[in-house]
Amino acid sequence: ESDVLLFLPGGFGTIYELFMTLELRRAYEFVKPIIIYNSCGYFDKLLEFLELSYDDGFSDRVMKDYYYICSDSKDCLDYIDRYYRVETKKRKKEQK
């Protein structure tokens, strides 16, 4: 029911939910923005792993379009604003 899925530093449950969310997005279950808040580089190693999975061909690079990485709150809020401005424009065009 949320408008945005924001992942903050956390443990196994957070990482499980992040990967589950990415898979649901890949399967077109929803199109909400997914934000990884990389505070103090917390997710750096996880992001390196994702890059490795893209480089080695285990994951499609298009997955990178499904999430946004930020490390400060202003960037995070700006991204949400941009995302919904674009989505609003798309909906208005579709209604015409």
Side-chain angles (χ1 to χ4, degrees):
E1 306 252 350
S2 66
D3 293 327
V4 175
L5 294 134
L6 174 63
F7 290 90
L8 303 171
F12 287 114
T14 300
I15 293 168
Y16 167 78
E17 289 177 358
L18 172 61
F19 279 100
M20 183 179 67
T21 300
L22 290 172
E23 175 56 22
L24 290 171
R25 178 74 187 265
R26 187 193 66 77
Y28 304 106
E29 297 290 326
F30 67 89
V31 292
K32 297 174 186 178
I34 301 168
I35 300 172
I36 300 171
Y37 191 81
N38 194 24
S39 178
C40 300
Y42 182 83
F43 288 110
D44 284 351
K45 295 293 184 185
L46 181 66
L47 296 170
E48 286 176 25
F49 169 76
L50 290 174
E51 282 299 319
L52 181 64
S53 73
Y54 303 137
D55 291 345
D56 289 347
F58 289 105
S59 297
D60 192 330
R61 220 168 256 288
V62 74
M63 293 293 292
K64 290 180 83 166
D65 295 337
Y66 297 161
Y67 57 88
Y68 183 76
I69 303 160
C70 63
S71 58
D72 67 72
S73 58
K74 182 177 179 342
D75 184 26
C76 182
L77 293 172
D78 288 346
Y79 172 75
I80 294 168
D81 184 54
R82 285 190 313 271
Y83 182 92
Y84 279 105
R85 265 191 276 132
V86 169
E87 287 301 311
T88 301
K89 285 180 184 178
K90 284 181 187 176
R91 283 190 209 118
K92 285 181 181 179
K93 284 182 182 180
E94 290 172 358
Q95 291 173 352
K96 290 182 178 182

